[in-house]
Amino acid sequence: MKSIKYIYSSLFFLAAGLMTAQAQDKKPEEKTVVNEEIEVVRPYKPILAEAVKLRRSPNLDDVKTYKAKLNYSITDRKLELNSDIQKLQAQALAEEKASILVNNYVKGAFGSLSTLLGEAYFNTGKDEGLQLGGYIKHFSQEGKLNKQNSSNQQLSVFGRSILEENTVSGRINLERNGTYFYGIDNANPALNPDPQKQAFSLIELEGELVKNFTEDEDALSYAVKANGYLWNDKFSAKESYLSLNGYLNKRISSFNLGLAASTEFGNTKDALTSVGNNLLRLNPYIRLQVKGAKVTAGINFVQEFGAYSSSKLFPSVTADFTLVPDYLQVFGEVKGDVNRNSMKSFTDENPWLNSNILVKNTVEKLSISAGIKGTGGPGFGYKARFYMKQFDDMPLFINNFDDFNKFDVIYDFGKTKLTGLEGEISIQVSDALKWTGKLNIDDWKPASETYSWFKPGLKVNSNFVYTYNKKLSFNAGVVIQDDVKAKVNVQQPINPLQYLIPNPGIESIVTVKGFVDLGVGADYRINNKFSVFAKANNILNSNYSRYLYYQVNGFNIFGGLTYSF
């Protein structure tokens, strides 16, 4: 058996060796010719799966170019060379419907405390170059106290014309204010059984001529303004006034050279007094105005003549620097002036004055102020100012000894100092919501008097407007004032000098408490012509007094209708 295995193995290795030797022999290549006939049964159609047909990237070289067959026709034509710029012919647009302007309105209202309101405004139209108009108003109320009545009537006619080089404007005002001396001392309520009536009448005229603005750097600008009035009360007081103001300004590149001048003529008469206090002011200045800065430096010369005669010279310097455009500006001012006092200005502030009031001017010896202003983004604006002022002959109100509900005017003999801080803010969240506020903090240092009578140390004013939709809107306002001091003489002054040099031995100091006065209103537009409104005043129903013995009206509400055309 083993012998057979050896024989097979030997034959296998022998055959392998012969084949190897034969493979190493190189034979010449032979060409093979196929002469067989192949019969095709059907054409070959390779079938591929759908996934195999997809290519990961397109073959960009496989692009077939399409060539369109074009037909050419040549036309003989003369070549025109025209290098001029042709005018572009504007295409006429369809006429827009002219907007209907509402220039006039009539308003009427009534409410509690016998409130009666009538108001009307008229204007010629939409021509900005020529404006003529008029305004008329009546407002009256009757409070809960005896003869706590007040009324106000106004009539004004105005006009303005914009000419080629100048603008001319003017107005005529007629005004009447009526009230009673209804002041009540709560400790002695029977002291004023039959309050006297008081009424003030005013006729005022004003005219102005102004040079229109021009871009010419060397332009000469000017303005002239005249104002005059006749005033009187129900008793014997009368006052006449005339003022003329003008200025010239010459621009020379970044500089402005100018002169402002004014004159004031006034005469006040009463049964026992007649005072003429007149002023002449001259204010030459030079102004530098460059990008981000404006500085004005000059002097203010004031001449008093009439019942009082004096000459005074004050500095007049203002500066304004822009640190961050539209966001932050720094400003400052140093000035002085003579403030002309008058019966009209006194009664505008306090209508319950006594007869035969002494009228004299107040000298503002030095006024220094500095602050910042700007915006904090769309809808936000602010201003903050610090100021220091010094006055000679500061006017103050005190109650008369014989008629406790009438006020005399005294002058703080010496130098009165005022240090204060003023802040303003305006926030408009959207077209529908706007809020504004103003704060004044004053520190008065009287010269000879114990206090600066009826001068508050804190005063806040704020207004709020909210538009709910196109038809309905709301508004609100608040006034806050802290305590003030009032002076009452407990004995008859021996002579008029005690009004100039106070005698604390015969004085009684009364505190007039502060107050918060809140009012709200609403307007509803029915259509383009009619709207209704309502307003509520003194919502907290505070029986506060601005002046001693004179309470304001309590809570009152009124409403009415407005017609626009």
Side-chain angles (χ1 to χ4, degrees):
M1 191 69 182
K2 294 182 180 180
S3 302
I4 295 173
K5 291 181 178 180
Y6 288 136
I7 293 172
Y8 283 136
S9 301
S10 301
L11 292 176
F12 175 77
F13 286 117
L14 180 60
L18 291 175
M19 291 177 66
T20 303
Q22 187 177 3
Q24 291 179 351
D25 293 337
K26 187 175 182 181
K27 295 181 180 182
E29 296 182 359
E30 296 181 0
K31 296 182 180 179
T32 304
V33 179
V34 179
N35 295 323
E36 293 180 312
E37 182 179 353
I38 299 174
E39 182 179 357
V40 178
V41 179
R42 60 181 175 83
Y44 175 69
K45 293 182 179 180
I47 299 175
L48 299 177
E50 295 297 329
V52 178
K53 296 179 182 180
L54 298 177
R55 304 186 63 175
R56 292 183 179 275
S57 300
N59 187 357
L60 300 180
D61 296 332
D62 187 12
V63 178
K64 293 182 179 180
T65 304
Y66 171 77
K67 295 183 179 180
K69 294 182 179 180
L70 303 176
N71 295 324
Y72 298 94
S73 61
I74 301 175
T75 302
D76 292 335
R77 192 172 183 179
K78 181 180 178 181
L79 177 63
E80 295 181 358
L81 296 178
N82 185 6
S83 60
D84 296 336
I85 299 177
Q86 297 181 354
K87 294 181 179 180
L88 180 64
Q89 300 297 328
Q91 185 176 359
L93 301 177
E95 293 185 1
E96 295 183 0
K97 185 178 179 180
S99 59
I100 301 176
L101 297 180
V102 179
N103 301 313
N104 317 295
Y105 72 84
V106 178
K107 179 186 295 186
F110 64 93
S112 62
L113 300 182
S114 300
T115 301
L116 185 62
L117 170 65
E119 185 177 334
Y121 176 87
F122 304 95
N123 193 272
T124 53
K126 61 183 180 180
D127 185 0
E128 297 181 357
L130 179 62
Q131 290 284 312
L132 294 174
Y135 175 77
I136 185 172
K137 178 182 179 181
H138 167 84
F139 182 80
S140 60
Q141 278 187 334
E142 297 181 7
K144 295 181 179 180
L145 301 177
N146 183 25
K147 296 296 182 68
Q148 192 181 6
N149 302 349
S150 63
S151 64
N152 172 261
Q153 294 82 34
Q154 297 179 45
L155 173 62
S156 179
V157 179
F158 58 87
R160 183 184 67 176
S161 177
I162 301 177
L163 306 177
E164 184 176 352
E165 295 185 356
N166 304 298
T167 297
V168 182
S169 61
R171 63 186 176 96
I172 302 174
N173 292 333
L174 302 176
E175 186 172 355
R176 183 184 183 277
N177 289 288
T179 186
Y180 284 84
F181 292 97
Y182 67 88
I184 294 294
D185 184 358
N186 292 328
N188 299 285
L191 290 181
N192 191 19
D194 187 20
Q196 290 180 297
K197 187 176 181 179
Q198 176 65 288
F200 307 106
S201 299
L202 173 71
I203 302 175
E204 183 180 21
L205 289 86
E206 183 176 283
E208 185 177 29
L209 173 69
V210 180
K211 176 74 165 57
N212 295 337
F213 177 78
T214 176
E215 297 289 345
D216 184 8
E217 293 185 356
D218 299 327
L220 175 66
S221 56
Y222 53 84
V224 179
K225 182 178 180 181
N227 177 274
Y229 68 77
L230 297 174
W231 174 97
N232 66 275
D233 69 359
K234 191 173 177 59
F235 299 96
S236 302
K238 297 180 180 180
E239 189 169 76
S240 59
Y241 173 79
L242 175 64
S243 70
L244 299 173
N245 299 272
Y247 87 91
L248 292 172
N249 186 87
K250 175 68 175 178
R251 276 188 287 171
I252 305 175
S253 186
S254 299
F255 289 91
N256 287 263
L257 299 177
L259 172 66
S262 66
T263 59
E264 296 183 59
F265 302 94
N267 184 266
T268 303
K269 292 183 179 181
D270 210 329
L272 302 177
T273 60
S274 179
V275 177
N277 55 335
N278 311 312
L279 295 176
L280 170 65
R281 293 187 183 90
L282 296 175
N283 175 216
Y285 64 86
I286 181 172
R287 179 182 299 140
L288 170 64
Q289 187 168 356
V290 295
K291 185 177 180 180
K294 182 170 69 173
V295 180
T296 303
I299 59 172
N300 184 21
F301 171 77
V302 183
Q303 175 67 51
E304 291 184 89
F305 58 98
Y308 310 96
S309 180
S310 67
S311 300
K312 294 179 174 59
L313 191 64
F314 305 100
S316 178
V317 180
T318 61
D320 193 325
F321 301 98
T322 300
L323 301 183
V324 181
D326 298 330
Y327 288 93
L328 179 61
Q329 289 179 271
V330 179
F331 63 91
E333 182 180 50
V334 178
K335 68 173 186 177
D337 202 355
V338 177
N339 301 323
R340 184 184 178 277
N341 294 315
S342 65
M343 282 296 295
K344 180 182 181 300
S345 63
F346 288 151
T347 54
D348 286 345
E349 185 176 354
N350 182 351
W352 301 288
L353 291 190
N354 199 2
S355 300
N356 302 308
I357 295 297
L358 175 63
V359 176
K360 61 186 299 188
N361 297 328
T362 298
V363 180
E364 187 176 346
K365 298 185 66 173
L366 183 64
S367 175
I368 302 174
S369 64
I372 59 174
K373 61 181 178 180
T375 61
F380 178 79
Y382 66 91
K383 179 181 178 181
R385 181 172 70 101
F386 171 80
Y387 51 87
M388 296 175 55
K389 299 181 180 182
Q390 296 181 2
F391 303 95
D392 281 350
D393 296 328
M394 182 71 187
L396 300 171
F397 300 116
I398 66 169
N399 292 76
N400 184 267
F401 178 78
D402 295 320
D403 296 322
F404 72 99
N405 55 359
K406 294 184 179 180
F407 293 86
D408 292 326
V409 176
I410 63 172
Y411 296 87
D412 194 1
F413 181 74
K415 183 184 297 182
T416 302
K417 296 182 180 180
L418 170 62
T419 304
L421 179 66
E422 180 182 80
E424 296 181 41
I425 189 172
S426 175
I427 300 176
Q428 185 165 353
V429 180
S430 63
D431 292 337
L433 182 62
K434 183 178 181 180
W435 174 75
T436 59
K438 183 177 181 180
L439 167 70
N440 285 90
I441 301 175
D442 293 331
D443 181 23
W444 291 90
K445 301 294 184 184
S448 301
E449 298 291 331
T450 309
Y451 292 95
S452 292
W453 314 115
F454 297 109
K455 298 295 184 183
L458 171 67
K459 193 169 184 179
V460 178
N461 291 276
S462 180
N463 291 283
F464 173 86
V465 178
Y466 173 64
T467 303
Y468 180 74
N469 53 35
K470 293 182 179 180
K471 291 182 174 293
L472 183 61
S473 63
F474 301 92
N475 59 83
V478 62
V479 177
I480 303 174
Q481 181 176 299
D482 69 345
D483 299 348
V484 296
K485 300 297 183 180
K487 172 183 173 179
V488 177
N489 289 322
V490 296
Q491 296 180 16
Q492 176 71 48
I494 300 175
N495 54 61
L497 291 177
Q498 289 189 349
Y499 277 101
L500 300 178
I501 304 176
N503 182 6
I506 63 172
E507 295 176 2
S508 174
I509 300 174
V510 181
T511 299
V512 180
K513 293 185 178 181
F515 60 86
V516 177
D517 193 333
L518 176 64
V520 297
D523 293 271
Y524 181 77
R525 181 180 295 275
I526 301 173
N527 51 42
N528 291 334
K529 292 187 177 296
F530 291 96
S531 62
V532 294
F533 66 93
K535 188 173 183 180
N537 298 313
N538 197 358
I539 292 178
L540 303 179
N541 198 24
S542 302
N543 295 322
Y544 66 89
S545 301
R546 294 182 182 271
Y547 293 98
L548 187 61
Y549 306 135
Y550 282 90
Q551 294 182 9
V552 301
N553 290 331
F555 172 76
N556 63 92
I557 185 171
F558 64 90
L561 178 70
T562 301
Y563 173 67
S564 303
F565 59 98

